[in-house]
Structure formats: C-alpha cells, structure tokens
Amino acid sequence: MTKYVAVAGKGGVGKTTFITLMLRQMIHKKRGISILAVDADPNANLNEALGLTVTTTISELLEGKKNIKTVSDSAENITFMKNLQKSLICTPNFDFLAMGDPQGPGCYCYPNNILRMYLETLGKNYDFVAVDTEAGMEHISRLTIPHIDIMFIVSDSSARGIRSARRVNDLIQGLKADIGEVYLIVTHTVKNSLESLAEEIAQTGLKLIGDVPYDELIFQQDLISKPLYDLPDEAISVRAVDKILRQTNIL
Ligand SMILES: Nc1ncnc2c1ncn2[C@@H]1O[C@H](COP(=O)(O)OP(=O)(O)OP(=O)(O)O)[C@@H](O)[C@H]1O
Ligand SMILES: [Mg+2]
C-alpha cells in the first residue's frame, strides 16, 4: 500500500526543508523503496532543494483544458492522463512531479478532476509519496491530493506561527479530505523554544512530534545555493528529521 505524507503550514516555516530531508533519509535508509516526490507549490522550489531541474509542470500541460465542463469520452481522459506523464522526472532514487502554477481565471474543475485521477493512478505505483504544499493549502482544499496518511503541520518557533498551525489544523479538520494522522513540527528552534511555546502548543490540540533546531548548515547551504539534500548525516537538522520519521514509523 502506498503511504502518502504531506506538509502544511504558513509561508517560510520550513515545509520544503522538512520534505527534502525526509526524502533524503528515506533514500539513504530505506533502500529499494519506490518514492514519488510531488511539489504542489505553484512557487515551486522543492526541485532546487533536491538538486533537480524542472522542465515541464502539470499546470503547463493542463493549460487549455480549463473551462471544459466534463469529457464523456473516458478514452480522451486516458489519453490526457498519459500526456501528463511528460511532466514526470525520473531519477535513480525517486521520481518527481511539479504541479506548477495554474494561470489566470477560469474553471479548473475538469483539470482538477483529471489531476486527482492522475495522482491516484500514479501514486499506486510507489511505496511512498511525499507532497510539499503551498502555504495556502489550495491543493488540499481543492482535494486534488487524493489521500494523506500522515500530515505534518509545520510551524516556526514563534507564538504567531503556532497559532497559525492551529488555524491550519482547524481548516484541515473542516475539510472532507481523507487525512489520517496529523502532527505538529516546530522548526528553527533554539534552546528553550519549546518550553516557551508550550502553552500555545497545548492549545493547538496537536501532538508535537518533534522539532527541527535552527541549523547553521542550512543557512550556509542556502547562501551558496547548494541543494539541502546534500547536507551531511551529522547536520543537526538531518538528525532531527530522522528522529521525527522514526517516531512516526515512516523510517
Ligand atoms: N531548521 C532550520 N534552520 C535554519 N534555517 C532553516 C531551517 N528550516 C528552514 N530554514 C530556512 O528557512 C527558509 C524557509 O524554509 P522553507 O523554504 O523550507 O520554508 P517553506 O515553509 O517551504 O516556505 P514556503 O511557504 O515559501 O514554501 C529557507 O531559507 C530555509 O533554508
Ligand atoms: Mg516551500
């Protein structure tokens, strides 16, 4: 059975960083499992963190398909889904899909339905699907992501960040989305961050599964535009993500 893991949370809190380090650990430690990484953020940058170049996004292939109400001919749907495979990047360790940025106004019902069918069909080919989302959670509220086993709500080390995580959780609970476990992760932590935030964290009603401390190596890697995927095993952030993955039985 495919395991779907996704992140949510406000802008700039460390969602892409977490997904990148999660993929890193899965690839290093769970050799042989098939992995699909999905960048569902229109302002895509998971590829950069992973050291990949994206040539075609799903949205580019969906252009021209909006405003179509339905297509009765299922053969046409299947042809189109096959066409979407052009956006799949295959690497030796994992496959990668970028959703891209849906352009302009119009009805996206048909492309969204096709996208959901495509992701459902595609996902079944993998053991593990990791989805990086945009801050606004558009893909989750439009239900283009079929099913999520584990959702990590990410917050930075601020009371405002934790309150935002709480709102994200409220939103998730209000959706008809098929989501299994939901956990909180606090990033950019320094000494005593979690103690100071304890009351706010308790009010979210979320289980704090771990924290990713502020890591100078991430800062250095960003500075010289190197993929975060290349962080060393001993990086404090890598060790922290590893621990979180073990807590949730992902690793
Ligand atoms: N633990 C950490 N220590 C130091 N810097 C970090 C840490 N986690 C993330 N960062 C840095 O914080 C910035 C935002 O991180 P990231 O891009 O992962 O956030 P995001 O939630 O995906 O943002 P967006 O909502 O824009 O997609 C990046 O410059 C990243 O390198
Ligand atoms: Mg991001």
Side-chain angles (χ1 to χ4, degrees):
M1 269 273 276
T2 310
K3 184 166 247 179
Y4 286 83
V5 177
V7 284
K10 80 181 179 80
V13 290
K15 299 181 292 295
T16 300
T17 303
F18 176 76
I19 286 275
T20 303
L21 298 184
M22 173 168 74
L23 288 166
R24 181 196 186 282
Q25 293 316 93
M26 296 299 286
I27 290 160
H28 284 222
K29 294 203 164 167
K30 287 221 153 188
R31 291 191 186 274
I33 73 156
S34 53
I35 299 175
L36 174 67
V38 180
D39 191 348
D41 186 347
N43 189 11
N45 60 11
L46 178 62
N47 62 304
E48 284 171 32
L50 292 167
L52 287 179
T53 306
V54 170
T55 45
T56 315
T57 69
I58 287 272
S59 293
E60 283 160 12
L61 296 170
L62 288 174
E63 260 312 296
K65 294 284 175 186
K66 66 186 177 195
N67 295 324
I68 297 177
K69 292 271 183 290
T70 51
V71 172
S72 50
D73 184 0
S74 63
E76 190 173 333
N77 284 339
I78 290 165
T79 309
F80 187 55
M81 289 214 303
K82 280 195 179 141
N83 203 23
L84 286 181
Q85 281 173 6
K86 288 180 190 159
S87 58
L88 194 66
I89 299 174
C90 300
T91 80
N93 294 320
F94 63 95
D95 292 351
F96 181 89
L97 192 69
M99 300 283 222
D101 189 7
Q103 293 293 319
C107 175
Y108 286 89
C109 300
Y110 174 70
N112 282 345
N113 284 341
I114 283 289
L115 194 52
R116 185 164 50 245
M117 277 161 62
Y118 177 64
L119 284 179
E120 252 170 340
T121 313
L122 183 71
K124 285 187 187 129
N125 299 325
Y126 298 88
D127 300 314
F128 187 74
V129 178
V131 187
D132 187 16
T133 67
E134 62 193 310
M137 300 219 317
E138 266 296 297
H139 286 286
I140 293 163
S141 46
R142 279 194 271 120
L143 300 180
T144 41
I145 296 163
H147 161 80
I148 296 164
D149 294 290
I150 301 182
M151 166 73 85
F152 293 106
I153 301 182
V154 184
S155 168
D156 57 11
S157 295
S158 70
R160 263 184 300 137
I162 303 290
R163 285 198 285 270
S164 171
R166 181 182 175 176
R167 285 192 294 274
V168 170
N169 186 37
D170 291 345
L171 183 62
I172 288 172
Q173 302 304 335
L175 291 173
K176 288 197 179 75
D178 180 9
I179 299 178
E181 299 154 53
V182 184
Y183 298 112
L184 175 68
I185 294 175
V186 182
T187 65
H188 294 81
T189 50
V190 291
K191 200 164 169 267
N192 298 334
S193 295
L194 293 180
E195 287 86 337
S196 308
L197 293 167
E199 226 168 90
E200 292 286 350
I201 291 172
Q203 284 179 28
T204 63
L206 284 162
K207 180 175 166 57
L208 175 69
I209 199 74
D211 67 308
V212 184
Y214 176 79
D215 189 344
E216 185 66 28
L217 289 181
I218 293 185
F219 177 78
Q220 294 296 339
Q221 207 79 348
D222 273 346
L223 206 59
I224 53 172
S225 203
K226 281 266 180 74
L228 294 178
Y229 185 87
D230 294 343
L231 282 170
D233 281 343
E234 61 276 14
I236 186 172
S237 51
V238 172
R239 282 191 278 132
V241 170
D242 191 273
K243 189 173 165 200
I244 291 169
L245 299 179
R246 279 185 283 111
Q247 301 260 34
T248 46
N249 290 325
I250 294 174
L251 263 186

